[in-house]
Amino acid sequence: MKFVLAFLFAPLFIFSQDFPQDYFQSPLDIPLDVSGSFGELRSNHFHSGLDFKTKGVEGLPVYAVGDGYISRIKISTFGYGKAIYITHPNGYTSVYGHLQKANGSIETYIKSKQYKEQSYEVEMYLYPTELPVKKGQVIAFTGNTGGSGGPHLHFEFRNTKSEEILNPLHFGFKKIINDDRKPIIQGVVAYPLDSTVVNKSQKPIAINFSRQADGSYLSTKVQANGRVAFGINAYDFCTNAYNKNGLYKVKAYLNGVLYYQYGFDGFAFDETRYINNFIDYERFHLMGQKVQKLFQLADYPLSIVAGNKKDGIIKVQPGSNYNYRVEVYDFHGNRVDLIIPIEFQDALASIKNTVKKTPYYVKAKNESIFEKENITVQIPENAFYNNFYLNFEVNGDILTLHDDSVPVHKNITITFNNIQGFTEEQLDKIFIASLDGYKLEFNRTFRKENTFSIKTRNLGKFKLAQDTIPPRIFNVNFVEGTTIKDQKTLSVSISDLHSDINSYNGYLNGKWILMEYDYKTKKLVHNLDDNICVPGRNDLKIVVTDYLQNSTTFESYFFR
């Protein structure tokens, strides 16, 4: 724990650690084509590794990048899908995600565990003697499992002891990944702070800029009369011109003095949600732009910005002119500069920043409890990054809890108290739904007698809803009573209208069978190579249950 805390507040952008440059090999035997970079800005998290394209197909061999042993295997329907972790003797662990399947004895080991636990989703921690591997050994095959948006290999390095995630390009991969393109700046935003006016605006305002003959960028003059800060919307191309990758390092200078910087050398998993404070979250919500702020209003425990001696905020004073320079780098040292000239101007605002005040003021560092009618909202300390006036309204059976333009860092608790007018059977089917237009989205709901509560990291509209409709089982890939001689799999599609799939179990001739679930295609698939089916008639039974315990059973038979 002491090591992790020290890591969290260490400035990673002055990384001086020596990494092995020739110890590890590539995990693929094709040219490495990067579709996702380390630290790339994703939904609610920084990307924790490198994504390698696999030519749009699954099934390419994945190689152990070094000697070691498989220390962890996790099979999940979400996240990394099928993932393998190899611990190496030099203090690092490599991670391989979204796999189609493991290879040989590793796959046999996984399936034995799944059949023993009668669950597709399993997690295993192994001893060094159980599944040792050699450098260059085929451990698995590339796939598209879990939260993958297409076939690729997600690859990571971690410090084995502390579990910090480290930029794989530090480990010699820079030499085998080509990148001769400079980063591209797409947008610049100025932020008037307090009562400052910037270019006659009290609201954040986009700044015009143009590319110069030498490849740098020059903005139009920024005029301000107080505290101002900046953010950039920028990206980098790496191995191809199709994927917009994240930046590696950014430095901002005011009149030649370093004012703010950050760099993606590594970070800890428990700080990754701070991405929502690192970017201008409201602008992202409204416009879809991920503007990276070159300032911070208050300290927060994100290691990539820790160690800054200045907060990046510029105090524009009368009679002064300023030269603000931003240097943007990728890992290969390709760099582009942005120059922003700033001068003092005491102008009136034509665009005014109006704050809608409500009786519910949230102080981010304090715990808050708000109540109205039969609804209670409990907000723990540091659930938000900044203080703000919360819109808290109850109209009939709908709770409006602000809107999702404000990011939530820690779970808040919403409770509907003392619900009346329902039978016991009806109460068993009630959940608290998020309301998106007319669409109901399920939240895992906890019931205690007539009181219902959820823990959520989202704001918006909520209401009580019921789910009495069982899941659907459809699109079976065989005709009942027929002989399936050459067929390799059994598959069905499953779905649920309101509360989502909670469990699924398949049985062949009364024996539990492994069925892999892909939430993207809504399919359950059983591989007949598991040799559970027998010559002659085989009776299939599939039971699917949602989170409100509505259940559907499908039964059929086939011949083999």
Side-chain angles (χ1 to χ4, degrees), residues 106-117:
I106 306 170
E107 179 70 4
T108 301
Y109 187 97
I110 294 171
K111 280 200 172 183
S112 66
K113 183 74 169 179
Q114 290 172 317
Y115 272 98
K116 182 179 179 180
E117 295 190 6

Side-chain angles (χ1 to χ4, degrees), residues 52-217:
F52 296 130
K53 289 188 173 186
T54 56
K55 300 182 177 180
V57 300
E58 300 182 38
L60 300 184
V62 178
Y63 299 90
V65 296
D67 292 350
Y69 70 96
I70 295 177
S71 54
R72 181 185 178 194
I73 300 172
K74 185 173 182 180
I75 310 296
S76 173
T77 54
F78 296 95
Y80 291 179
K82 297 181 180 182
I84 291 176
Y85 301 67
I86 298 177
T87 294
H88 305 281
N90 62 347
Y92 299 104
T93 295
S94 55
V95 183
Y96 314 76
H98 306 306
L99 303 171
Q100 180 190 65
K101 63 179 181 179
N103 186 36
S105 60
I106 306 170
E107 179 70 4
T108 301
Y109 187 97
I110 294 171
K111 280 200 172 183
S112 66
K113 183 74 169 179
Q114 290 172 317
Y115 272 98
K116 182 179 179 180
E117 295 190 6
Q118 295 193 356
S119 174
Y120 169 63
E121 295 191 274
V122 293
E123 186 169 14
M124 298 159 269
Y125 292 89
L126 289 75
Y127 293 108
T129 55
E130 291 185 89
L131 287 175
V133 296
K134 290 291 186 181
K135 182 177 182 178
Q137 177 181 333
V138 178
I139 59 167
F141 300 92
T142 61
N144 187 30
T145 56
S148 170
H152 73 278
L153 175 69
H154 174 85
F155 179 72
E156 293 179 15
F157 276 117
R158 301 183 186 181
N159 181 299
T160 301
K161 185 177 180 180
S162 66
E163 295 189 351
E164 311 104 327
I165 319 153
L166 301 168
N167 192 330
L169 293 177
H170 278 300
F171 293 82
F173 281 74
K174 177 181 176 180
K175 294 183 291 186
I176 56 175
I177 295 175
N178 296 320
D179 184 1
D180 57 4
R181 299 178 178 90
K182 292 182 178 181
I184 294 173
I185 298 176
Q186 201 169 26
V188 181
V189 179
Y191 294 87
L193 305 177
D194 305 324
S195 58
T196 297
V197 176
V198 175
N199 290 1
K200 297 184 179 182
S201 175
Q202 290 181 330
K203 292 183 177 181
I205 184 170
I207 304 300
N208 293 325
F209 63 96
S210 59
R211 194 160 191 166
Q212 305 301 293
D214 63 358
S216 65
Y217 296 89

Side-chain angles (χ1 to χ4, degrees), residues 363-364 366-368 378-384 410-413:
K363 293 183 177 179
N366 298 339
E367 180 183 5
S368 301
Q378 296 173 280
I379 303 172
E381 60 184 22
N382 297 315
F384 298 99
K410 294 166 66 173
N411 277 326
I412 62 176
T413 303

Side-chain angles (χ1 to χ4, degrees), residues 249-288:
K249 181 170 57 178
V250 176
K251 293 183 176 183
Y253 296 84
L254 184 66
N255 295 336
V257 176
L258 183 64
Y259 241 60
Y260 203 72
Q261 63 177 333
Y262 58 82
F264 287 100
D265 293 298
F267 53 88
F269 266 109
D270 58 2
E271 57 177 317
T272 189
R273 193 175 177 87
Y274 283 112
I275 185 177
N276 293 332
N277 197 28
F278 177 78
I279 65 171
D280 181 343
Y281 189 88
E282 182 177 9
R283 197 173 190 90
F284 170 61
H285 168 73
L286 295 173
M287 304 179 185

Side-chain angles (χ1 to χ4, degrees), residues 345-373:
Q345 184 185 66
D346 197 7
L348 295 175
S350 57
I351 303 173
K352 294 187 177 181
N353 187 23
T354 56
V355 177
K356 182 181 178 181
K357 294 186 177 181
T358 73
Y360 310 99
Y361 187 67
V362 176
K363 293 183 177 179
K365 292 186 177 181
N366 298 339
E367 180 183 5
S368 301
I369 298 178
F370 300 124
E371 295 180 317
K372 180 177 277 192
E373 297 184 17

Side-chain angles (χ1 to χ4, degrees), residues 185 187-188 209-210 216-219 231-232 294 324-328 336-340:
I185 298 176
V188 181
F209 63 96
S210 59
S216 65
Y217 296 89
L218 175 65
S219 85
I232 59 169
L294 302 178
Y324 185 74
R325 185 179 83 253
V326 182
E327 299 174 354
V328 181
V336 68
D337 289 3
L338 164 69
I339 305 297
I340 303 176

Side-chain angles (χ1 to χ4, degrees), residues 9 11 13-14 252 257-262 296 299 304-313:
F9 293 95
F13 40 73
I14 56 172
V257 176
L258 183 64
Y259 241 60
Y260 203 72
Q261 63 177 333
Y262 58 82
Q296 58 190 74
D299 290 339
I304 65 169
V305 300
N308 271 301
K309 296 180 180 179
K310 298 181 182 295
D311 57 14
I313 297 171

